[in-house]
Every structure is written in C-alpha cells, then in structure tokens.
Amino acid sequence: MGKSKQIGNHNSTRKKSIGKTWKTKNYTKHLDQIHADMKPSAAAKLLKQEVDYDVTGSAQHYCLHCARYFVDVKALKEHFKTKVHKKRIKRLKDEPYTQAEADRAAGMGSYIPHKTVEVKTQDVEEKMD
C-alpha cells in the first residue's frame, strides 16, 4: 500500500496540509538571523527583556544562540550542556554568506577564504530572590 494522502481533518474550515504543519512545527530562527541577534546592541535587548507573562519563564531566561526561552536559570544552564546547544554553537562559528561572497563564487571577483567567527556561550546572571 502507498502513503496516506490525507490533506486535512474534517473539522477544519480551511484545508491545510498536515505535512506543512509538521514541517513548520519546530521552526527556529535561521543562522543569519541569529548572527544579527548576536550583535551587541541587539543582544543586550534580548538578554534584558521586560517581564512578559505570555512567554516561557516570563522572558527572563533566553538562550541567544538557540533563540529559545527557558523556565529558570537551572534549565538554561542545563541547556548549555546539551548536544543541541553545542551543535548550534559549532554551526554559528561560520560567518553568514553575503551577496558579495556569492558573486565571487560565480566568478565576479577574487576568491577570499570563508571567515570564522568566535562564538562563546553567553554568561548567566543569577538573581537571588
């Protein structure tokens, strides 16, 4: 037998592909967006956010490299030790591609080797309540 070609459920008023829902369920920021967030001005805003009760952990515990919120400092520190975080740090070490680099690859300029960026895990401030 072949694959099921179910498009939606019976209760839905608009048809939406289940496959598309599954693909976008765990959507995270792309690496070039995270590189933009890692700039000092943007990083300061993300790490010192106002209290927002609609976000996990009231938006006080944020991993800059993975673009994720955590419930408390302990969960954030445990996240820093995980394979997911370490892989993300490794992928962020490559500088994001630019249009100038694409032009050089197409033969419209001299070759310049790809650069790497120094990325370290962020420091965590513990608040004593």
Side-chain angles (χ1 to χ4, degrees):
M1 292 196 158
K3 258 167 84 172
S4 172
K5 295 191 178 186
Q6 180 180 359
I7 293 179
N9 57 16
H10 295 287
N11 299 331
S12 177
T13 56
R14 62 171 217 235
K15 297 293 183 185
K16 186 173 182 182
S17 169
I18 291 177
K20 185 170 185 174
T21 305
W22 287 344
K23 287 177 190 173
T24 58
K25 182 179 180 182
N26 295 325
Y27 174 77
T28 59
K29 284 188 176 181
H30 293 284
L31 297 178
D32 56 341
Q33 293 173 320
I34 293 174
H35 271 283
D37 288 345
M38 286 172 42
K39 293 179 182 171
S41 60
K45 289 179 185 174
L46 287 170
L47 294 176
K48 303 284 183 186
Q49 295 182 27
E50 294 180 15
V51 175
D52 182 7
Y53 294 108
D54 293 333
V55 180
T56 305
S58 301
Q60 299 302 303
H61 312 288
Y62 183 73
C63 177
L64 190 62
H65 306 105
C66 300
R68 288 182 59 188
Y69 292 96
F70 292 92
V71 176
D72 57 2
V73 176
K74 183 179 177 187
L76 181 62
K77 285 185 175 181
E78 288 297 318
H79 165 73
F80 290 154
K81 298 175 187 175
T82 62
K83 187 185 284 189
V84 173
H85 181 77
K86 291 176 184 178
K87 282 184 178 180
R88 179 60 65 104
I89 292 285
K90 190 173 183 179
R91 290 181 65 199
L92 284 170
K93 287 185 180 179
D94 287 337
E95 190 176 74
Y97 291 103
T98 61
Q99 184 61 42
E101 189 172 355
D103 290 343
R104 287 193 304 269
M108 297 181 205
S110 300
Y111 173 73
I112 298 173
H114 196 69
K115 298 177 184 175
T116 58
V117 179
E118 183 66 30
V119 179
K120 294 182 182 177
T121 300
Q122 68 198 39
D123 295 329
V124 178
E125 296 177 8
E126 292 187 39
K127 295 179 185 176
M128 300 302 272
D129 292 333

